[in-house]
Amino acid sequence: MSKYWIAATLFLLVSCNQEQKTVTYEEIPDAKDVHSYAQPQIAKITHLDLDLSIDFSDHIISGTASYDIETAENADQIILDVNNLNIDSVWLGEANGNRIPTTFQVGSATDFMGAPLTIDISPNTNKITVRYSTNPEAAALQWLEPVQTLGKSDPFLFTQGQAILTRTWIPIQDSPGIRYTYSARVQVPSGLLALMSASNPMEKSDDGLYSFEMQQPIPAYLMALAVGNIEFQAISDRTGVYAEPGMLEDAAYEMADLEKMVVATESLYGPYLWDRYDLIVLPPSFPFGGMENPRLTFATPTIIAGDRSLTALVAHELAHSWSGNLVTNATWDDFWLNEGHTVYIERRIMEALYGRPYSEMLAKLGLQDLTATIDDMGPASEDSHLKLSLDGRDPDDGMNDVAYEKGYLLLRTLEELAGREIFDAYLKAYFEAYKFKSLSTEQWESYVHQHLIDPHDLDIDLSAWLYAPGIPAEHAQPVSNKFDQVDRHASEFIRLGRLDRSSTKDWSTHEWLHFIRQIPADLHVSFYEKLDDVYALSDSGNSEILAAWLEKSIQSGYLRDHNLPQLRAFLVEVGRRKFLSPLYRALKENGELALAREIFEEARPNYHSVSSNSISALLGDSEAI
Ligand code: BES
Ligand code: ZN
């Protein structure tokens, strides 16, 4: 038994015996989370127990949520976040125990924030229960009809909690600074498998009833559920993949290095503290590349390239098991703490497994993304600060390349200033110091000063990185000889129209992406025709290459001349926002708004709310939900 478990068990034993628990104040970050109504300093949840049933015909989740709570002295209320939920009844005590009636109130709802659910409690209340149901339009949930799945015979449901969508399917204190453990029982139609961000079944049950346990405290945005005709295949003793049966073998092939990735990360940053690491490949409407739901990463099928070339995404989601899930941003203004550290670790994992030249290609592409994003925002935009200020805005608005790539660049710059050995020790100690805690940018700043910058006398203007726009001049510079070769090839093509298959035959996805990015959009359409003739880019089965190519095809006019049906097919099938936004934007900015709207109308039923809201806003469609 590890020390951690002994401590956790003791804590449970002690707390169960207490008449009334008190809030341990130092666990709550000082940072105020403007995206939650909860007041954890007065009353906060410490454990959630769900008893839910999933109704696929009406698209409703219903049941009870019981909470263990800790209260400050004299607390007479606890506030949860709810958004578009039907609250049937609330009582003090357990779901099936002695019910003490109480009063509650749902405040007025605003847009993306939802409303506070205020429950009256008495001084010795340590358990409350809410009976509730979701709305068919719940923003976190996507209900797929059988035709929208690979197997075409069973429906599918998945959730997406980050940033503040969990409150649309569970009444909860929906703040990344509040952690709790959970257990759940979920009833689904028999023949389907249910999975959560918790201990998971490996095969279907006869009665469609599943039980889950998450013994490590997590914030609400990491609550997750997937239900469908899903099967499991092991990769190693502690890793494996879940997918629809028709996808399982390809998924397992692609994920062959999962165990190696876990081992590499552990040797850098200490033990993996979540027991198993599995991954589920979802249907193509999943709005993200990946989502780091603890113990069970949710992933888009667009990473299944057949050649394992897009597995940096898996390294990324795995890395969140340290940066994000173990050590968490206190508020969404501190989002870069999650993503910047995660991109840094992702690239260290890729370097450990596939070598420096490989990870440097990723770093170069990241820097290109960052430069383009910041150019787009303009040099003075406060959205290019690492520390954001999202008060009054949907946190989703602040989630762009800046957090990922400027965050990465800051950490890499620190690594280069300190030297790798010192930086590795620093980062490992940071995870140890803050494990199962949330922290703000300001807390991080003082930690990094105290443990890295000051003792090693590093010369860096941290304020410029954290609280000012743009990229500070002192940033680290990734170096890629592989990309230098690609540059030579691209420039020969642009100047002379020359292509040489022998020099491109060993290119990885990343070299292709770099090549496509180098081709000017205003190059004559005949150049695009030639590229497509020689390399059949419009028929690429690699989603990253296809998306990059289609974007250029729109910008250059090649699409207009060739009416690429591949564009429509891709936009209708794939719901991953990272691909959709640039493509719809390119259509809009290149005189194809009508086509964009027409495709969107056809595709929209396939998109999760996260993607359809973004595309609605982009295309100026007033029907956004
Ligand atoms: N946690 C994010 C996804 C996310 C961010 C969901 C913000 C909701 C709000 C996840 O770890 C992520 O970053 N996914 C990336 C992949 C990665 C390789 C950059 C994605 O989905 O593209
Ligand atoms: Zn991430």
Side-chain angles (χ1 to χ4, degrees):
M1 217 190 203
S2 75
K3 270 198 201 131
Y4 166 75
W5 284 114
I6 294 172
T9 314
L10 280 177
F11 172 74
L12 278 178
L13 288 174
V14 170
S15 55
C16 289
N17 284 333
Q18 273 174 355
E19 247 300 275
Q20 189 199 344
K21 294 170 242 164
T22 45
V23 177
T24 12
Y25 283 90
E26 52 294 353
E27 279 176 26
I28 302 166
D30 2 312
K32 166 94 190 87
D33 180 4
V34 295
H35 293 109
S36 170
Y37 294 103
Q39 298 198 359
Q41 68 286 0
I42 296 173
K44 66 168 189 156
I45 65 177
T46 58
H47 181 80
L48 164 70
D49 183 51
L50 291 170
D51 202 336
L52 299 177
S53 125
I54 314 295
D55 178 347
F56 274 96
S57 41
D58 291 336
H59 293 178
I60 288 171
I61 297 180
S62 61
T64 55
S66 295
Y67 314 79
D68 293 357
I69 65 170
E70 281 183 1
T71 53
E73 223 179 309
N74 300 327
D76 56 5
Q77 294 185 324
I78 182 164
I79 303 176
L80 310 183
D81 294 293
V82 293
N83 190 356
N84 208 7
L85 291 175
N86 310 309
I87 307 299
D88 300 334
S89 52
V90 178
W91 61 88
L92 309 183
E94 299 184 22
N96 300 315
N98 189 20
R99 298 180 180 189
I100 303 164
T102 189
T103 41
F104 68 94
Q105 189 194 357
V106 178
S108 58
T110 61
D111 220 9
F112 49 84
M113 282 280 289
L117 165 61
T118 306
I119 298 168
D120 297 317
I121 56 175
S122 52
N124 62 353
T125 304
N126 55 19
K127 200 149 205 147
I128 54 174
T129 299
V130 177
R131 169 169 289 286
Y132 76 100
S133 62
T134 63
N135 189 296
E137 268 75 52
L141 309 179
Q142 191 172 12
W143 302 88
L144 296 173
E145 298 302 323
V147 291
Q148 294 170 299
T149 67
L150 191 65
K152 312 281 180 224
S153 51
D154 297 284
F156 204 104
L157 166 69
F158 66 81
T159 65
Q160 168 58 38
Q162 198 179 13
I164 55 169
L165 300 180
T166 296
R167 64 189 71 173
T168 72
W169 73 285
I170 307 172
I172 202 75
Q173 292 189 316
D174 197 2
S175 170
I178 304 173
R179 313 177 91 88
Y180 56 89
T181 53
Y182 80 85
S183 43
R185 280 163 313 289
V186 180
Q187 177 69 61
V188 305
S190 65
L192 301 186
L193 184 71
L195 301 169
M196 292 191 80
S197 49
S199 59
N200 273 309
M202 288 183 185
E203 47 188 50
K204 290 172 188 145
S205 68
D206 291 335
D207 56 3
L209 184 63
Y210 297 93
S211 298
F212 305 90
E213 200 85 46
M214 171 44 79
Q215 292 178 321
Q216 290 88 337
I218 60 164
Y221 75 91
L222 296 173
M223 295 300 298
L225 171 70
V227 183
N229 180 14
I230 302 164
E231 288 180 359
F232 174 75
Q233 189 169 323
I235 305 278
S236 67
D237 281 354
R238 59 164 167 177
T239 68
V241 286
Y242 291 90
E244 283 193 66
M247 175 64 97
L248 193 57
E249 210 177 301
D250 289 353
Y253 175 84
E254 212 77 11
M255 301 306 148
D257 284 342
L258 220 45
E259 174 67 25
K260 282 192 201 138
M261 287 185 178
V262 182
V263 170
T265 328
E266 285 188 305
S267 74
L268 284 167
Y269 307 116
Y272 178 77
L273 292 177
W274 305 87
D275 191 16
R276 289 193 60 86
Y277 180 74
D278 296 310
L279 178 142
I280 176 169
V281 178
L282 291 162
S285 65
F286 186 59
F288 294 102
M291 178 63 214
E292 65 272 26
N293 298 316
R295 298 179 66 122
L296 182 66
T297 284
F298 280 24
T300 167
T302 61
I303 56 165
I304 310 295
D307 60 0
R308 300 177 181 160
S309 64
L310 301 178
T311 55
L313 186 138
V314 179
H316 179 98
E317 304 313 333
L318 169 66
H320 273 304
S321 308
W322 285 260
S323 46
N325 300 1
L326 199 56
V327 177
T328 310
N329 47 215
T331 76
W332 299 117
D333 286 343
D334 309 299
F335 180 57
W336 83 272
L337 285 174
N338 273 17
E339 297 300 343
H341 284 85
T342 298
V343 173
Y344 177 82
I345 298 177
E346 165 201 331
R347 297 203 174 129
R348 292 296 302 273
I349 298 172
M350 296 314 274
E351 180 183 330
L353 263 69
Y354 310 114
R356 180 87 169 173
Y358 190 99
S359 59
E360 282 297 87
M361 291 195 287
L362 299 173
K364 276 263 183 194
L365 291 170
L367 184 54
Q368 290 168 8
D369 289 335
L370 177 63
T371 314
T373 300
I374 289 184
D375 280 354
D376 233 41
M377 290 177 168
S381 172
E382 292 189 7
D383 284 350
S384 69
H385 296 193
L386 281 178
K387 171 81 185 188
L388 297 170
S389 104
L390 295 167
D391 198 359
R393 290 164 68 188
D394 187 334
D396 209 45
D397 288 355
M399 297 177 163
N400 55 53
D401 292 324
V402 170
Y404 291 79
E405 296 296 345
K406 186 176 172 182
Y408 164 76
L409 220 50
L410 166 56
L411 296 169
R412 173 151 169 179
T413 304
L414 285 167
E415 180 210 307
E416 290 185 5
L417 287 171
R420 193 166 257 199
E421 208 176 313
I422 287 171
F423 189 73
D424 285 357
Y426 154 81
L427 201 49
K428 188 172 180 178
Y430 164 72
F431 290 131
E432 180 62 32
Y434 281 99
K435 66 182 178 195
F436 300 109
K437 292 199 168 79
S438 304
L439 82 164
S440 65
T441 300
E442 291 76 9
Q443 285 170 295
W444 179 83
E445 187 182 10
S446 90
Y447 185 88
V448 76
H449 258 294
Q450 206 181 332
H451 294 90
L452 187 71
I453 297 178
D454 300 347
H456 299 286
D457 209 13
L458 306 188
D459 182 17
I460 186 163
D461 181 358
L462 213 46
S463 300
W465 282 91
L466 300 174
Y467 311 115
I471 312 174
E474 63 192 353
H475 73 82
Q477 283 287 358
V479 175
S480 170
N481 295 332
K482 285 175 180 281
F483 278 7
D484 292 344
Q485 283 171 16
V486 175
D487 285 340
R488 282 194 286 280
H489 194 68
S491 100
E492 280 208 356
F493 173 63
I494 294 161
R495 283 185 298 116
L496 312 167
R498 194 184 299 154
L499 291 173
D500 172 16
R501 269 180 210 265
S502 65
S503 62
T504 59
K505 70 176 186 332
D506 295 326
W507 279 5
S508 68
T509 302
H510 316 297
E511 282 142 317
W512 278 111
L513 288 178
H514 182 61
F515 178 75
I516 294 168
R517 289 178 180 194
Q518 302 311 303
I519 310 299
D522 58 3
L523 206 59
H524 192 266
V525 173
S526 60
F527 282 76
Y528 281 83
E529 283 164 355
K530 181 157 187 180
L531 274 179
D532 218 3
D533 280 349
V534 175
Y535 296 124
L537 294 170
S538 299
D539 296 317
S540 174
N542 182 304
S543 60
E544 292 278 354
I545 293 175
L546 182 62
W549 169 250
L550 288 172
E551 187 182 353
K552 285 279 173 172
S553 302
I554 299 166
Q555 292 164 338
S556 63
Y558 178 60
L559 171 91
R560 200 164 36 242
D561 293 359
H562 292 77
N563 179 37
L564 295 175
Q566 293 90 336
L567 175 70
R568 183 184 291 263
F570 187 72
L571 289 175
V572 169
E573 172 166 352
V574 174
R576 184 176 173 188
R577 185 169 63 176
K578 180 188 125 171
F579 292 146
L580 303 185
S581 295
L583 290 171
Y584 281 108
R585 184 174 307 115
L587 286 169
K588 180 182 164 184
E589 288 172 357
N590 290 277
E592 302 282 6
L593 185 60
L595 177 64
R597 287 193 169 141
E598 184 201 311
I599 296 178
F600 181 44
E601 203 177 302
E602 181 182 347
R604 190 180 191 145
N606 293 339
Y607 295 167
H608 184 276
S609 73
V610 158
S611 291
S612 65
N613 286 342
S614 296
I615 304 306
S616 270
L618 181 74
L619 299 182
D621 174 351
S622 56
E623 281 173 304
I625 40 167

